[in-house]
Amino acid sequence: MEANIKQVSAVLNPPAPHMVGDGFRVHNFFPKGYKLKMSPFFLLDYNSKIQFSARNEPRGVGVHPHRGFETVTIAYHGAVAHQDSAGNSGIIKPGDVQWMTAASGILHKERHEEAFSKKGGPFQMVQLWVNLPAKDKMSKPKYQALCHGSIARHQLENEAGVIEVIAGEYMGTKGSASTFTPIEVYNLRLNKNGKASFSFPSDYNTAFVVIEGEIKVNDAVLAKTDQLVHFKNEGEEIQVEAIQDSVILVLSGAPIHEPIAQYGPFLMNKPEEIQQAIADYNQGKFGYLEE
């Protein structure tokens, strides 16, 4: 067993925050904050818990394009209203997940939901950029709205807590989202002293984000609220114990072994594909979305 443990490579504090628009104060754990090996996850923006004051005009981000990847937004506190040029719109509230496949190109905007904005309150979110393999980058955009009540759940033994399987599969419980490559995304909600174990292939890139609480990993490593636990690409088994009631975002996935060309909101394989994306955007090929 010892030899097969997936060892922790680092416990990382959140990098200094920056604003995305005027509604999201995020810590970019990667790729800018830390140079982590996390493919197929290209970016992790973590909006740690912050109080927003009441405001009539909702804060947020105006119309912007995406191509070549998926955005996954996971809500913990607060509410976000979004809309895209493919005609999708909705509101995500605590526990909900918005899984948007930009692929060949989409325009998107996201702002604090109106009722939340007028009332104000705690706000906490995670946004991931999930890379797509070259063969799927120009596929048709799609949208998956995963409301908290519909997300697949695995109850842990001994009242330890619950695992919400957003994508992938945990002990026979299949995730709610469809993905293009093998990805595991879970919300692990552990009660104090509760334990959970995971097994991911050694080559999968794996990290935990402690959304709330404090945990002990592999009986040895402590991590607290807002820290990211990054794992080595060796061994498979991970044990987690909650020192106090905790919420942990679990990420693991098979790396995509392809070159990456990134410019702003475009994530492609070659520089010429970036140039094409900019040209297509300027020519209005991403559709129309009112500001």
Side-chain angles (χ1 to χ4, degrees):
M1 174 73 180
E2 281 294 320
N4 205 29
I5 285 178
K6 194 181 278 289
Q7 301 286 352
V8 172
S9 72
V11 176
L12 302 169
N13 289 319
H18 67 274
M19 293 300 294
V20 176
D22 64 356
F24 304 92
R25 190 201 67 165
V26 303
H27 310 270
N28 180 259
F29 272 109
F30 58 83
K32 289 186 177 163
Y34 297 98
K35 302 297 179 205
L36 300 180
K37 202 171 151 193
M38 278 304 296
S39 173
F41 306 101
F42 177 79
L43 172 147
L44 193 163
D45 270 348
Y46 173 51
N47 190 130
S48 60
K49 196 189 290 183
I50 181 176
Q51 284 287 134
F52 276 109
S53 56
R55 185 167 138 171
N56 282 332
E57 187 64 31
R59 300 171 175 91
V61 183
V63 176
H64 57 282
H66 290 303
R67 173 179 277 181
F69 63 100
E70 303 180 287
T71 67
V72 179
T73 307
I74 305 167
Y76 296 97
H77 290 279
V80 170
H82 74 94
Q83 197 175 351
D84 67 40
S85 55
N88 302 301
S89 64
I91 294 166
I92 57 166
K93 295 181 175 179
D96 297 346
V97 178
Q98 171 203 309
W99 197 298
M100 186 182 78
T101 305
S104 63
I106 210 165
L107 300 178
H108 188 226
K109 63 181 179 181
E110 46 209 329
R111 292 193 170 92
H112 293 189
E113 185 257 339
E114 209 168 330
F116 170 78
S117 191
K118 285 182 172 161
K119 198 168 99 179
F123 189 86
Q124 188 179 24
M125 303 262 161
V126 167
Q127 185 168 89
L128 301 164
W129 287 15
V130 180
N131 193 17
L132 290 173
K135 67 181 179 59
D136 297 313
K137 280 191 180 292
M138 293 301 287
S139 58
K140 190 179 171 185
K142 69 172 186 174
Y143 177 77
Q144 300 175 77
L146 309 174
C147 69
H148 188 226
S150 71
I151 292 173
R153 282 168 170 71
H154 180 91
Q155 294 291 337
L156 295 165
E157 292 178 355
N158 305 317
E159 297 183 0
V162 65
I163 297 178
E164 296 166 2
V165 187
I166 297 166
E169 185 176 341
Y170 182 84
M171 307 277 283
T173 301
K174 286 186 166 53
S176 302
S178 66
T179 66
F180 287 81
T181 59
I183 298 172
E184 308 292 326
V185 180
Y186 318 144
N187 268 326
L188 167 60
R189 300 180 187 271
L190 277 181
N191 300 321
K192 183 180 178 180
N193 300 324
K195 293 182 180 180
S197 58
F198 300 92
S199 183
F200 301 121
S202 58
D203 67 325
Y204 273 34
N205 293 319
T206 304
F208 291 175
V209 183
V210 185
I211 304 296
E212 207 173 283
E214 184 178 0
I215 60 171
K216 187 190 277 189
V217 181
N218 296 337
D219 288 330
V221 179
L222 292 174
K224 297 180 178 179
T225 303
D226 299 340
Q227 290 184 319
L228 182 143
V229 183
H230 186 248
F231 292 87
K232 295 179 181 177
N233 290 102
E234 52 191 58
E236 296 177 353
E237 310 298 325
I238 301 171
Q239 293 271 349
V240 188
E241 181 181 357
I243 307 297
Q244 58 197 62
D245 289 358
S246 299
V247 179
I248 303 103
L249 175 62
V250 175
L251 304 171
S252 191
I256 298 171
H257 297 292
E258 294 175 355
I260 283 179
Q262 186 246 338
Y263 176 79
F266 306 127
L267 186 56
M268 304 302 288
N269 298 103
K270 302 170 185 168
E272 51 267 35
E273 292 169 339
I274 295 289
Q275 296 304 321
Q276 187 62 55
I278 294 168
D280 289 349
Y281 169 63
N282 288 333
Q283 289 165 26
K285 292 183 180 176
F286 283 45
Y288 174 75
L289 185 60
E290 196 174 322
E291 188 66 59

